[in-house]
């Protein structure tokens, strides 16, 4: 799949390319190399392979849980990750990385394309950046603006921005969601049927 | 959102098809779209290829790309919701009880 492919919207190909490039950048808690390793563990876990990456234990365990066992994660589990060295902003970063690579790979898989290769990691330390104004929520992690799926990753702006871009381009923007119709070739009821079935399979009723 | 969009478009979608694959969703290309979702999330490469071919024949390439994009989105968002503990609140549980029963997801742990 290339940018020059005339049969896939360029906003999609561009967004997916940016999502992959982001993986290699230093994040809030993890280096670029660790972020790529976490994404790599998503692919290994999905393929039924044992963990292989040299990652801090909390990052490895959290990454694989989000990859293939997200429906079973509870507060105790998140607390456990913290107890073995993964702070909340590191955990939110892991959720962002794994969820985005899940989207990228699912899109490629659905259309019969090979999963894109990981970028070379950008050297440098983690940024340490997270939003200290995020407040305790009714979920497992602090959030801005209250507890909702849309604000779920706002503790780490990079994670939120990555999710928001993919959501808006692959599916609908917040404005488009409020409109009854579909700006896509696929009808809105068909889009929602797909969304509902995917969520049912993943045992998530969002 | 499925119920609302079907009402808004005047399309009588059978919500039970979301969780019971023996039921026809009564939406144009609904069954092949559901097959594609299942194949992409849980199936083999050959199952995905077969499902993709049927969807392409039914709705064309651009709509197939859109379908792939929606599946991708919810592979992302389901993980975000579950991993961050986004739950169905009491008010939402009450107001959606009938719809969730129809769709076969009465035991909704998450929102």
């Amino acid at each position: 799949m290339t940018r020059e492919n005339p049969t896939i919207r360029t906003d999609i190909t561009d967004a997916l390319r940016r999502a992959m490039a982001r993986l290699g950048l230093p994040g809030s808690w993890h280096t670029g190399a660790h972020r790529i390793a976490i994404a790599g563990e998503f692919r290994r876990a999905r393929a039924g392979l044992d963990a292989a990456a040299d990652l801090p234990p909390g990052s490895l365990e959290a990454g694989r849980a989000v990859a293939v066992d997200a429906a079973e994660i509870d507060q105790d589990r998140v607390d456990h990750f913290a107890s073995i060295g993964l702070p909340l902003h590191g955990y939110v970063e892991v959720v962002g990385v794994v969820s985005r690579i899940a989207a990228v790979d699912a899109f490629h898989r659905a259309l019969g394309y090979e999963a894109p290769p990981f970028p070379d990691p950008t050297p440098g330390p983690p940024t340490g950046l997270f939003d200290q104004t995020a407040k305790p929520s009714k979920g497992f992690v602090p959030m801005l603006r209250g507890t909702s799926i849309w604000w779920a990753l706002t503790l780490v702006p990079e994670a939120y921005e990555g999710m928001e871009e993919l959501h808006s381009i692959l599916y609908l923007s917040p404005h488009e969601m409020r409109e009854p119709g579909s700006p896509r070739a696929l009808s809105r009821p068909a889009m929602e049927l797909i969304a509902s079935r995917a969520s049912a399979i993943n045992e998530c009723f969002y | 959102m499925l119920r609302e969009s079907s009402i808004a478009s005047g399309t009588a979608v059978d919500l039970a098809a979301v969780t019971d694959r023996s039921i026809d969703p009564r939406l144009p290309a609904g069954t092949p779209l559901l097959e594609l979702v299942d194949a992409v999330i849980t199936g083999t490469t050959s199952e995905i290829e077969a499902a993709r071919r049927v969807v392409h024949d039914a709705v064309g390439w651009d709509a197939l790309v859109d379908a792939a994009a929606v599946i991708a989105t919810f592979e992302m968002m389901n993980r975000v919701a579950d991993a961050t503990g986004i739950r169905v609140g009491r008010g939402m549980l009450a107001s959606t009880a009938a719809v969730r029963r129809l769709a076969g997801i009465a035991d909704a742990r998450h929102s």
Side-chain angles (χ1 to χ4, degrees):
Chain A
M1 189 173 70
T2 67
R3 186 195 179 108
E4 292 72 37
N5 188 327
T7 59
I8 294 179
R9 289 169 20 215
T10 54
D11 60 340
I12 289 180
T13 55
D14 287 348
L16 295 177
R17 185 172 293 111
R18 280 193 294 273
M20 290 303 291
R22 264 189 165 116
L23 283 179
L25 299 175
S28 175
W29 178 251
H30 301 89
T31 63
H34 278 173
R35 284 159 61 94
I36 289 172
I38 290 166
E41 282 299 316
F42 165 81
R43 288 180 175 171
R44 290 187 64 82
R46 205 180 175 283
L49 300 172
D50 289 339
D54 182 17
L55 280 165
S59 306
L60 180 62
E61 202 175 314
R64 288 186 67 97
V66 178
V68 295
D69 205 23
E72 298 305 316
I73 294 174
D74 58 14
Q75 186 67 64
D76 286 346
R77 198 87 182 271
V78 176
D79 292 345
H80 164 70
F81 299 145
S83 75
I84 58 173
L86 184 65
L88 285 175
H89 62 284
Y91 175 66
V92 170
E93 181 180 359
V94 169
V95 176
V97 166
V98 174
S99 63
R100 293 199 305 272
I101 192 66
V104 172
D105 281 5
F107 181 81
H108 283 75
R109 196 163 63 244
L111 295 181
Y113 294 121
E114 290 292 319
F118 292 125
D120 292 329
T122 298
T127 65
L129 291 174
F130 65 96
D131 197 320
Q132 300 194 39
T133 67
K135 304 243 181 319
S137 70
K138 294 178 184 171
F140 308 147
V141 299
M143 300 176 193
L144 297 180
R145 306 191 201 186
T147 304
S148 89
I149 181 68
W150 194 252
W151 308 124
L153 302 183
T154 46
L155 177 63
V156 179
E158 178 271 335
Y160 164 72
E161 288 157 9
M163 178 215 80
E164 190 268 342
E165 180 180 43
L166 285 182
H167 186 288
S168 297
I169 290 173
L170 294 177
Y171 176 56
L172 298 165
S173 68
H175 171 75
E176 288 166 338
M177 285 175 67
R178 288 192 289 273
E179 299 297 318
S182 166
R184 311 287 183 228
L186 200 59
S187 74
R188 189 63 181 273
M191 293 175 73
E192 302 304 343
L193 180 70
I194 291 167
S196 299
R197 178 61 188 165
S199 300
I201 294 171
N202 289 326
E203 297 183 28
C204 175
F205 305 106
Y206 156 69
Chain B
M1 299 272 291
L2 173 56
R3 181 166 174 263
E4 288 161 7
S5 64
S6 66
I7 291 170
S9 65
T11 311
V13 177
D14 191 331
L15 298 180
V18 170
T19 52
D20 185 343
R21 291 299 327 283
S22 70
I23 294 175
D24 180 350
R26 294 192 289 153
L27 183 73
T31 296
L33 286 170
L34 291 173
E35 294 277 359
L36 180 65
V37 178
D38 287 10
V40 172
I41 295 179
T42 63
T44 63
T45 302
S46 57
E47 288 169 340
I48 297 171
E49 187 180 334
R52 179 173 62 247
R53 203 175 307 121
V54 176
V55 171
H56 181 266
D57 289 347
V59 300
W61 174 256
D62 288 345
L64 169 61
V65 171
D66 290 341
V70 176
I71 295 169
T73 303
F74 284 82
E75 281 281 88
M76 175 176 70
M77 298 307 290
N78 291 160
R79 285 175 173 80
V80 171
D82 282 342
T84 60
I86 301 299
R87 304 282 175 190
V88 179
R90 277 193 296 271
M92 180 72 84
L93 274 174
S95 65
T96 60
V99 170
R100 285 185 290 106
R101 262 197 307 277
L102 282 173
I105 52 170
D107 179 26
R109 293 175 298 152
H110 308 288
S111 69

